Amino acid sequence: MATTKTDPKLALVANGAKKAKFYEGLTREQLIQAYRLMYTARRIDDREILLKRQQKIYFQMSGAGHEGIGVAAGLALKSGYDWFYPYYRDRGLCLAVGVKPYDMFLQGVGAANDPSSGGRQMPSHWSYPGLHIVTQSSPTGSQILQAVGCAEAGRYYARRPKAAEVPPSNQFDYRQFKNVSFQGDEITYVSLGDGTSSEGEFWEAMNAAALEKLRVIFCVEDNGYAISVPVEAQTAGGSISRLVSGFPNFHFEEVDGTDPVASFAAMSRAVKHCREGHGPAFVHAHVIRPYSHSLSDDERLYRPDTERERDAARDPVSRTQMFLLREGILDDKGITQLEKEVEAELQSAVDHALEALPPAPESVMQFIYSPDVDPTSSVFDTQPAAAEISADGKKPAGKTMADLINTTLRDEMKRDERIVIFGEDVADCSREEYLKQKLVKGKGGVFKLTFGLQNEFGADRVFNSPLAEAAIIGRATGMATRGLKPVVEIQFFDYIWPAMMQIRDELSVIRWRSNNGFSCPVVIRVAIGGYLTGGAIYHSQCGESMFTHIPGLRVVFPSNSLDAAGLLRTAIRCDDPVLFLEHKRLYRESYGRAAYPGPEYMVPFGKAKIVHPGEDLTVITYGAVVPRALQAVQKLEREQGIKVELIDLRTLNPFDWETIAASVAKTTRALVAYEDTMSWGYGAEIAARIADQLFDKLDAPVRRVAAKDVFVAYQPILEDAILPQPNDLYLAMKDLAKY
Ligand SMILES: Cc1ncc(C[n+]2csc(CCOP(=O)(O)OP(=O)(O)O)c2C)c(N)n1
Ligand SMILES: [Mg+2]
């Protein structure tokens, strides 16, 4: 661990630069260039503020006061080589990396040809694939874990370069559409504000980067405020540097971020530490925020003039101008000339941006999902391989859902070296020597679904993550952005919530918000559901409709082992993020066992299965309700002669409307059954669609059977009363058939 501390109050000329020919390694030309970039950044802010007041753009977020550290970082790192997760104040960094002012104005006006989002995101939400600037969002800090995943991906490819290759086109999958590039010593830069360092994800990211010794530079741009909250009310002790100083493997810098020369020196040392592979670096840059938080904020409401004037004396743009004059690097004429050139460039950029066409309203649905790989298509519709019959003519014993998920993961890992598996307890044994010495057998997940995979494929492909769900999804998102295929596990659905920000505001929307500039087709396997007799509140939840409500996320919920194998393979090979829900009660159930269907068996998304044909009534369901409904259907047929058509949806987004519509048109009665709580649940949408689109076909009201609107209780008597049972289904079907 190395630490360099620069007194944040130091003036530029006081750091020894005056005597040196080079200024901390910067030439006179580079210093002029740095000033040009800083001045450009500030003037773009000024122009945008004007445009906002004229109602020609719709939002403004300034980078004012942060230009010094940003430009220094851009100069110390390599454009198109290193990777960048810059936050909204990093206008200076983006210009230094190569973003054009015109591109920034295009984002302001929301133009169709805005390269970062095509009018979908606010300005200062950077995304420039060619420059390795990865699409950014508004939630403070959600970029940090992704940056860690990005660095992990770069290291993975460097160690396994074959993984980056694109397979021949007859091996059709997401890889055909990923443009993978990597460098052995590439660095991932991620920045955040001082307030954002209070987010839990920041700490999860620091921990992961330190554990893995990753090449990540964390830059905290500390302007002393998070909107109106001052740093001493935000960060215990008022110094983030002090708090993080215990993380191992890090290089630490604390610097006056309004001083581009000192900032460049600090960044260069951070870059060296990372580039050489010693681990991550942390740069704490003290900056100012002269333009309030945003145009909606007036900082005079909470900052007195004295404090604001103190900041103004450190303004990086005017200080750098003074520095150039004092050092004789530019004279007054030179400064005027430079500023005139910048103004002319910005005028032309604004003029052109104001003429740019807005996006077509019809384009709104574009790029929610992959335009290249359609998981509902016939490519993903294959037949199971014939079951092997042994010499004595016996069919092989049926495999459980747990068996076939494990086998599918194994087959796919063999086929695709970009697959990595991580999560809590998913490895066989983190202390590899125990496995190697055969002292232990290995765990492979609390439900043993990943058993044996670390042993077979290595600890760099199958590993335990820290106990941090947001980190699992955030890191996976960063990896997938670089073309890897993380198949991660959330141990229990009940504990998916720390990752909800990453799932809803990041993973699912990255393709859409970047106008197809980036994608992150992660597979999230989640153990879900109740009927466990003793699972209680926190091991029995459903809640799938909270995820089917998210545009951009595929949601799969198999009811038997054959479907689980086929759907998991489709999930892995497709190009969209997939939430793969595995019902714990079905893992080892005798219902729905099947022979191994071979390594190419796939089930397309959006294709339901008719589990039992019938004419009198349609039951639409999925997951663990399928076997329960089947019992009820068989009893009803036996006892009442009522023939029920039982539909297993298999995938919830997309879902198979055609099969539902055809069945309900035939039977004229529909019952939607699901394990989740009744109100606002998945069945509500299906019932609404049936009522809306099949109204004239119906002879009865659309009914639902679901759990009571309460959490699942521990005592089995209570659990039975809460979750839908075969008899509840039986009675509802019988009643509906009377109409
Ligand atoms: C998760 C989340 N919570 C709240 C907000 C609203 N918000 C936007 S910026 C901000 C303050 C950020 O302060 P800091 O991290 O210090 O960055 P600065 O704006 O000062 O550069 C807040 C609270 C948000 N965007 N995301
Ligand atoms: Mg701040």
PDB file of all heavy atoms in Angstrom, residues 53 225 227-228 289-309:
ATOM      1  N   ARG A  53     -32.046  28.156 -20.582  1.00  0.00           N
ATOM      2  CA  ARG A  53     -32.881  29.334 -20.283  1.00  0.00           C
ATOM      3  C   ARG A  53     -33.724  29.721 -21.500  1.00  0.00           C
ATOM      4  O   ARG A  53     -34.832  30.227 -21.364  1.00  0.00           O
ATOM      5  CB  ARG A  53     -32.001  30.503 -19.828  1.00  0.00           C
ATOM      6  CG  ARG A  53     -31.266  30.167 -18.534  1.00  0.00           C
ATOM      7  CD  ARG A  53     -31.102  31.326 -17.567  1.00  0.00           C
ATOM      8  NE  ARG A  53     -30.794  30.799 -16.243  1.00  0.00           N
ATOM      9  CZ  ARG A  53     -29.590  30.837 -15.665  1.00  0.00           C
ATOM     10  NH1 ARG A  53     -28.570  31.416 -16.284  1.00  0.00           N
ATOM     11  NH2 ARG A  53     -29.414  30.323 -14.468  1.00  0.00           N
ATOM     12  N   TYR A 225     -19.957  18.950  -1.147  1.00  0.00           N
ATOM     13  CA  TYR A 225     -21.423  18.949  -1.020  1.00  0.00           C
ATOM     14  C   TYR A 225     -22.040  17.833  -1.851  1.00  0.00           C
ATOM     15  O   TYR A 225     -21.540  17.482  -2.927  1.00  0.00           O
ATOM     16  CB  TYR A 225     -22.013  20.281  -1.519  1.00  0.00           C
ATOM     17  CG  TYR A 225     -21.986  21.352  -0.456  1.00  0.00           C
ATOM     18  CD1 TYR A 225     -20.913  22.232  -0.373  1.00  0.00           C
ATOM     19  CD2 TYR A 225     -23.021  21.469   0.463  1.00  0.00           C
ATOM     20  CE1 TYR A 225     -20.873  23.208   0.616  1.00  0.00           C
ATOM     21  CE2 TYR A 225     -22.990  22.439   1.458  1.00  0.00           C
ATOM     22  CZ  TYR A 225     -21.914  23.308   1.524  1.00  0.00           C
ATOM     23  OH  TYR A 225     -21.892  24.263   2.502  1.00  0.00           O
ATOM     24  N   ILE A 227     -25.677  17.852  -3.229  1.00  0.00           N
ATOM     25  CA  ILE A 227     -26.726  18.883  -3.305  1.00  0.00           C
ATOM     26  C   ILE A 227     -26.503  19.847  -2.127  1.00  0.00           C
ATOM     27  O   ILE A 227     -25.524  20.583  -2.161  1.00  0.00           O
ATOM     28  CB  ILE A 227     -28.157  18.302  -3.369  1.00  0.00           C
ATOM     29  CG1 ILE A 227     -28.245  17.239  -4.531  1.00  0.00           C
ATOM     30  CG2 ILE A 227     -29.164  19.439  -3.659  1.00  0.00           C
ATOM     31  CD1 ILE A 227     -29.645  16.705  -4.811  1.00  0.00           C
ATOM     32  N   SER A 228     -27.307  19.769  -1.058  1.00  0.00           N
ATOM     33  CA  SER A 228     -27.130  20.749   0.024  1.00  0.00           C
ATOM     34  C   SER A 228     -26.457  20.157   1.259  1.00  0.00           C
ATOM     35  O   SER A 228     -26.294  20.842   2.265  1.00  0.00           O
ATOM     36  CB  SER A 228     -28.504  21.310   0.427  1.00  0.00           C
ATOM     37  OG  SER A 228     -29.265  20.277   1.034  1.00  0.00           O
ATOM     38  N   ARG A 289     -17.572  23.530  -6.617  1.00  0.00           N
ATOM     39  CA  ARG A 289     -18.829  23.402  -7.380  1.00  0.00           C
ATOM     40  C   ARG A 289     -19.429  24.800  -7.532  1.00  0.00           C
ATOM     41  O   ARG A 289     -20.355  25.166  -6.826  1.00  0.00           O
ATOM     42  CB  ARG A 289     -19.775  22.465  -6.621  1.00  0.00           C
ATOM     43  CG  ARG A 289     -20.944  21.959  -7.409  1.00  0.00           C
ATOM     44  CD  ARG A 289     -22.033  21.401  -6.499  1.00  0.00           C
ATOM     45  NE  ARG A 289     -22.626  22.423  -5.658  1.00  0.00           N
ATOM     46  CZ  ARG A 289     -23.583  22.199  -4.731  1.00  0.00           C
ATOM     47  NH1 ARG A 289     -24.026  20.969  -4.524  1.00  0.00           N
ATOM     48  NH2 ARG A 289     -24.076  23.182  -4.002  1.00  0.00           N
ATOM     49  N   PRO A 290     -18.907  25.585  -8.464  1.00  0.00           N
ATOM     50  CA  PRO A 290     -19.307  27.004  -8.526  1.00  0.00           C
ATOM     51  C   PRO A 290     -20.721  27.257  -9.047  1.00  0.00           C
ATOM     52  O   PRO A 290     -21.232  28.345  -8.859  1.00  0.00           O
ATOM     53  CB  PRO A 290     -18.268  27.617  -9.466  1.00  0.00           C
ATOM     54  CG  PRO A 290     -17.765  26.483 -10.289  1.00  0.00           C
ATOM     55  CD  PRO A 290     -17.861  25.264  -9.448  1.00  0.00           C
ATOM     56  N   TYR A 291     -21.348  26.267  -9.713  1.00  0.00           N
ATOM     57  CA  TYR A 291     -22.640  26.534 -10.372  1.00  0.00           C
ATOM     58  C   TYR A 291     -23.831  25.901  -9.647  1.00  0.00           C
ATOM     59  O   TYR A 291     -24.791  25.509 -10.301  1.00  0.00           O
ATOM     60  CB  TYR A 291     -22.601  26.013 -11.813  1.00  0.00           C
ATOM     61  CG  TYR A 291     -21.782  26.856 -12.781  1.00  0.00           C
ATOM     62  CD1 TYR A 291     -21.016  27.940 -12.348  1.00  0.00           C
ATOM     63  CD2 TYR A 291     -21.787  26.566 -14.133  1.00  0.00           C
ATOM     64  CE1 TYR A 291     -20.274  28.692 -13.241  1.00  0.00           C
ATOM     65  CE2 TYR A 291     -21.052  27.313 -15.038  1.00  0.00           C
ATOM     66  CZ  TYR A 291     -20.291  28.379 -14.586  1.00  0.00           C
ATOM     67  OH  TYR A 291     -19.557  29.120 -15.468  1.00  0.00           O
ATOM     68  N   SER A 292     -23.790  25.796  -8.343  1.00  0.00           N
ATOM     69  CA  SER A 292     -24.848  25.084  -7.604  1.00  0.00           C
ATOM     70  C   SER A 292     -24.889  23.621  -8.078  1.00  0.00           C
ATOM     71  O   SER A 292     -24.147  23.227  -8.969  1.00  0.00           O
ATOM     72  CB  SER A 292     -26.227  25.721  -7.776  1.00  0.00           C
ATOM     73  OG  SER A 292     -26.260  26.973  -7.119  1.00  0.00           O
ATOM     74  N   HIS A 293     -25.774  22.825  -7.464  1.00  0.00           N
ATOM     75  CA  HIS A 293     -25.816  21.411  -7.846  1.00  0.00           C
ATOM     76  C   HIS A 293     -26.271  21.254  -9.297  1.00  0.00           C
ATOM     77  O   HIS A 293     -25.675  20.537 -10.095  1.00  0.00           O
ATOM     78  CB  HIS A 293     -26.742  20.631  -6.914  1.00  0.00           C
ATOM     79  CG  HIS A 293     -26.947  19.223  -7.363  1.00  0.00           C
ATOM     80  ND1 HIS A 293     -25.970  18.267  -7.243  1.00  0.00           N
ATOM     81  CD2 HIS A 293     -27.997  18.618  -7.971  1.00  0.00           C
ATOM     82  CE1 HIS A 293     -26.412  17.125  -7.749  1.00  0.00           C
ATOM     83  NE2 HIS A 293     -27.629  17.313  -8.201  1.00  0.00           N
ATOM     84  N   SER A 294     -27.369  21.922  -9.633  1.00  0.00           N
ATOM     85  CA  SER A 294     -27.872  21.908 -11.014  1.00  0.00           C
ATOM     86  C   SER A 294     -28.673  23.194 -11.172  1.00  0.00           C
ATOM     87  O   SER A 294     -28.765  23.998 -10.247  1.00  0.00           O
ATOM     88  CB  SER A 294     -28.773  20.693 -11.252  1.00  0.00           C
ATOM     89  OG  SER A 294     -29.976  20.834 -10.511  1.00  0.00           O
ATOM     90  N   LEU A 295     -29.291  23.349 -12.324  1.00  0.00           N
ATOM     91  CA  LEU A 295     -30.074  24.576 -12.531  1.00  0.00           C
ATOM     92  C   LEU A 295     -31.297  24.633 -11.622  1.00  0.00           C
ATOM     93  O   LEU A 295     -31.875  25.691 -11.419  1.00  0.00           O
ATOM     94  CB  LEU A 295     -30.496  24.674 -13.999  1.00  0.00           C
ATOM     95  CG  LEU A 295     -29.401  25.096 -14.981  1.00  0.00           C
ATOM     96  CD1 LEU A 295     -29.997  25.417 -16.334  1.00  0.00           C
ATOM     97  CD2 LEU A 295     -28.617  26.291 -14.462  1.00  0.00           C
ATOM     98  N   SER A 296     -31.691  23.489 -11.074  1.00  0.00           N
ATOM     99  CA  SER A 296     -32.859  23.490 -10.176  1.00  0.00           C
ATOM    100  C   SER A 296     -32.464  23.832  -8.745  1.00  0.00           C
ATOM    101  O   SER A 296     -33.317  23.858  -7.869  1.00  0.00           O
ATOM    102  CB  SER A 296     -33.542  22.131 -10.179  1.00  0.00           C
ATOM    103  OG  SER A 296     -33.364  21.475 -11.381  1.00  0.00           O
ATOM    104  N   ASP A 297     -31.182  24.007  -8.507  1.00  0.00           N
ATOM    105  CA  ASP A 297     -30.702  24.234  -7.143  1.00  0.00           C
ATOM    106  C   ASP A 297     -30.111  25.640  -7.041  1.00  0.00           C
ATOM    107  O   ASP A 297     -29.428  26.094  -7.957  1.00  0.00           O
ATOM    108  CB  ASP A 297     -29.626  23.169  -6.832  1.00  0.00           C
ATOM    109  CG  ASP A 297     -28.964  23.393  -5.482  1.00  0.00           C
ATOM    110  OD1 ASP A 297     -29.695  23.635  -4.506  1.00  0.00           O
ATOM    111  OD2 ASP A 297     -27.714  23.318  -5.410  1.00  0.00           O
ATOM    112  N   ASP A 298     -30.389  26.310  -5.938  1.00  0.00           N
ATOM    113  CA  ASP A 298     -29.751  27.602  -5.689  1.00  0.00           C
ATOM    114  C   ASP A 298     -28.961  27.479  -4.392  1.00  0.00           C
ATOM    115  O   ASP A 298     -29.525  27.484  -3.298  1.00  0.00           O
ATOM    116  CB  ASP A 298     -30.818  28.688  -5.561  1.00  0.00           C
ATOM    117  CG  ASP A 298     -30.190  30.056  -5.261  1.00  0.00           C
ATOM    118  OD1 ASP A 298     -28.940  30.139  -5.163  1.00  0.00           O
ATOM    119  OD2 ASP A 298     -30.949  31.028  -5.124  1.00  0.00           O
ATOM    120  N   GLU A 299     -27.646  27.355  -4.523  1.00  0.00           N
ATOM    121  CA  GLU A 299     -26.842  27.056  -3.342  1.00  0.00           C
ATOM    122  C   GLU A 299     -26.783  28.207  -2.341  1.00  0.00           C
ATOM    123  O   GLU A 299     -26.380  28.025  -1.200  1.00  0.00           O
ATOM    124  CB  GLU A 299     -25.439  26.587  -3.732  1.00  0.00           C
ATOM    125  CG  GLU A 299     -24.581  27.646  -4.375  1.00  0.00           C
ATOM    126  CD  GLU A 299     -23.157  27.163  -4.607  1.00  0.00           C
ATOM    127  OE1 GLU A 299     -22.874  25.999  -4.339  1.00  0.00           O
ATOM    128  OE2 GLU A 299     -22.336  27.967  -5.066  1.00  0.00           O
ATOM    129  N   ARG A 300     -27.209  29.391  -2.740  1.00  0.00           N
ATOM    130  CA  ARG A 300     -27.207  30.512  -1.792  1.00  0.00           C
ATOM    131  C   ARG A 300     -28.177  30.265  -0.635  1.00  0.00           C
ATOM    132  O   ARG A 300     -28.096  30.908   0.395  1.00  0.00           O
ATOM    133  CB  ARG A 300     -27.552  31.813  -2.515  1.00  0.00           C
ATOM    134  CG  ARG A 300     -26.380  32.303  -3.377  1.00  0.00           C
ATOM    135  CD  ARG A 300     -26.785  33.439  -4.253  1.00  0.00           C
ATOM    136  NE  ARG A 300     -27.909  33.058  -5.121  1.00  0.00           N
ATOM    137  CZ  ARG A 300     -28.387  33.814  -6.101  1.00  0.00           C
ATOM    138  NH1 ARG A 300     -27.869  34.982  -6.341  1.00  0.00           N
ATOM    139  NH2 ARG A 300     -29.396  33.397  -6.843  1.00  0.00           N
ATOM    140  N   LEU A 301     -29.071  29.299  -0.839  1.00  0.00           N
ATOM    141  CA  LEU A 301     -30.013  28.949   0.236  1.00  0.00           C
ATOM    142  C   LEU A 301     -29.329  28.239   1.391  1.00  0.00           C
ATOM    143  O   LEU A 301     -29.847  28.194   2.495  1.00  0.00           O
ATOM    144  CB  LEU A 301     -31.136  28.058  -0.311  1.00  0.00           C
ATOM    145  CG  LEU A 301     -32.062  28.713  -1.338  1.00  0.00           C
ATOM    146  CD1 LEU A 301     -33.023  27.689  -1.910  1.00  0.00           C
ATOM    147  CD2 LEU A 301     -32.824  29.864  -0.688  1.00  0.00           C
ATOM    148  N   TYR A 302     -28.169  27.658   1.149  1.00  0.00           N
ATOM    149  CA  TYR A 302     -27.503  26.905   2.219  1.00  0.00           C
ATOM    150  C   TYR A 302     -25.993  27.162   2.295  1.00  0.00           C
ATOM    151  O   TYR A 302     -25.313  26.567   3.123  1.00  0.00           O
ATOM    152  CB  TYR A 302     -27.780  25.387   2.085  1.00  0.00           C
ATOM    153  CG  TYR A 302     -27.484  24.821   0.698  1.00  0.00           C
ATOM    154  CD1 TYR A 302     -26.212  24.362   0.390  1.00  0.00           C
ATOM    155  CD2 TYR A 302     -28.470  24.755  -0.274  1.00  0.00           C
ATOM    156  CE1 TYR A 302     -25.927  23.854  -0.866  1.00  0.00           C
ATOM    157  CE2 TYR A 302     -28.189  24.250  -1.541  1.00  0.00           C
ATOM    158  CZ  TYR A 302     -26.934  23.796  -1.834  1.00  0.00           C
ATOM    159  OH  TYR A 302     -26.643  23.299  -3.078  1.00  0.00           O
ATOM    160  N   ARG A 303     -25.472  28.038   1.442  1.00  0.00           N
ATOM    161  CA  ARG A 303     -24.046  28.387   1.513  1.00  0.00           C
ATOM    162  C   ARG A 303     -23.905  29.908   1.552  1.00  0.00           C
ATOM    163  O   ARG A 303     -24.347  30.591   0.616  1.00  0.00           O
ATOM    164  CB  ARG A 303     -23.279  27.877   0.286  1.00  0.00           C
ATOM    165  CG  ARG A 303     -23.282  26.391   0.122  1.00  0.00           C
ATOM    166  CD  ARG A 303     -22.405  25.997  -1.073  1.00  0.00           C
ATOM    167  NE  ARG A 303     -20.988  25.985  -0.712  1.00  0.00           N
ATOM    168  CZ  ARG A 303     -20.006  25.785  -1.581  1.00  0.00           C
ATOM    169  NH1 ARG A 303     -20.275  25.615  -2.858  1.00  0.00           N
ATOM    170  NH2 ARG A 303     -18.746  25.761  -1.179  1.00  0.00           N
ATOM    171  N   PRO A 304     -23.258  30.442   2.582  1.00  0.00           N
ATOM    172  CA  PRO A 304     -23.087  31.894   2.629  1.00  0.00           C
ATOM    173  C   PRO A 304     -22.063  32.366   1.591  1.00  0.00           C
ATOM    174  O   PRO A 304     -21.236  31.576   1.111  1.00  0.00           O
ATOM    175  CB  PRO A 304     -22.557  32.140   4.049  1.00  0.00           C
ATOM    176  CG  PRO A 304     -21.931  30.857   4.446  1.00  0.00           C
ATOM    177  CD  PRO A 304     -22.657  29.764   3.724  1.00  0.00           C
ATOM    178  N   ASP A 305     -22.113  33.646   1.267  1.00  0.00           N
ATOM    179  CA  ASP A 305     -21.211  34.211   0.256  1.00  0.00           C
ATOM    180  C   ASP A 305     -19.745  33.979   0.597  1.00  0.00           C
ATOM    181  O   ASP A 305     -18.926  33.711  -0.283  1.00  0.00           O
ATOM    182  CB  ASP A 305     -21.463  35.721   0.116  1.00  0.00           C
ATOM    183  CG  ASP A 305     -22.778  35.973  -0.624  1.00  0.00           C
ATOM    184  OD1 ASP A 305     -23.318  34.995  -1.203  1.00  0.00           O
ATOM    185  OD2 ASP A 305     -23.267  37.113  -0.591  1.00  0.00           O
ATOM    186  N   THR A 306     -19.422  34.082   1.909  1.00  0.00           N
ATOM    187  CA  THR A 306     -18.013  33.929   2.290  1.00  0.00           C
ATOM    188  C   THR A 306     -17.482  32.575   1.826  1.00  0.00           C
ATOM    189  O   THR A 306     -16.383  32.481   1.271  1.00  0.00           O
ATOM    190  CB  THR A 306     -17.875  34.008   3.821  1.00  0.00           C
ATOM    191  OG1 THR A 306     -18.910  33.238   4.402  1.00  0.00           O
ATOM    192  CG2 THR A 306     -17.908  35.437   4.308  1.00  0.00           C
ATOM    193  N   GLU A 307     -18.276  31.554   2.036  1.00  0.00           N
ATOM    194  CA  GLU A 307     -17.829  30.209   1.646  1.00  0.00           C
ATOM    195  C   GLU A 307     -17.719  30.099   0.124  1.00  0.00           C
ATOM    196  O   GLU A 307     -16.766  29.526  -0.417  1.00  0.00           O
ATOM    197  CB  GLU A 307     -18.822  29.174   2.185  1.00  0.00           C
ATOM    198  CG  GLU A 307     -18.357  27.743   1.961  1.00  0.00           C
ATOM    199  CD  GLU A 307     -19.377  26.718   2.446  1.00  0.00           C
ATOM    200  OE1 GLU A 307     -19.814  26.797   3.604  1.00  0.00           O
ATOM    201  OE2 GLU A 307     -19.711  25.819   1.646  1.00  0.00           O
ATOM    202  N   ARG A 308     -18.661  30.688  -0.563  1.00  0.00           N
ATOM    203  CA  ARG A 308     -18.656  30.592  -2.028  1.00  0.00           C
ATOM    204  C   ARG A 308     -17.490  31.373  -2.614  1.00  0.00           C
ATOM    205  O   ARG A 308     -16.875  30.962  -3.598  1.00  0.00           O
ATOM    206  CB  ARG A 308     -19.990  31.050  -2.576  1.00  0.00           C
ATOM    207  CG  ARG A 308     -21.106  30.097  -2.083  1.00  0.00           C
ATOM    208  CD  ARG A 308     -22.501  30.572  -2.423  1.00  0.00           C
ATOM    209  NE  ARG A 308     -22.656  30.790  -3.843  1.00  0.00           N
ATOM    210  CZ  ARG A 308     -23.003  31.944  -4.401  1.00  0.00           C
ATOM    211  NH1 ARG A 308     -23.239  32.987  -3.644  1.00  0.00           N
ATOM    212  NH2 ARG A 308     -23.113  32.049  -5.695  1.00  0.00           N
ATOM    213  N   GLU A 309     -17.161  32.476  -1.984  1.00  0.00           N
ATOM    214  CA  GLU A 309     -16.025  33.277  -2.472  1.00  0.00           C
ATOM    215  C   GLU A 309     -14.702  32.542  -2.252  1.00  0.00           C
ATOM    216  O   GLU A 309     -13.790  32.590  -3.082  1.00  0.00           O
ATOM    217  CB  GLU A 309     -16.002  34.642  -1.765  1.00  0.00           C
ATOM    218  CG  GLU A 309     -17.021  35.603  -2.356  1.00  0.00           C
ATOM    219  CD  GLU A 309     -17.438  36.685  -1.373  1.00  0.00           C
ATOM    220  OE1 GLU A 309     -16.742  36.876  -0.348  1.00  0.00           O
ATOM    221  OE2 GLU A 309     -18.483  37.332  -1.617  1.00  0.00           O
TER     222      GLU A 309
END
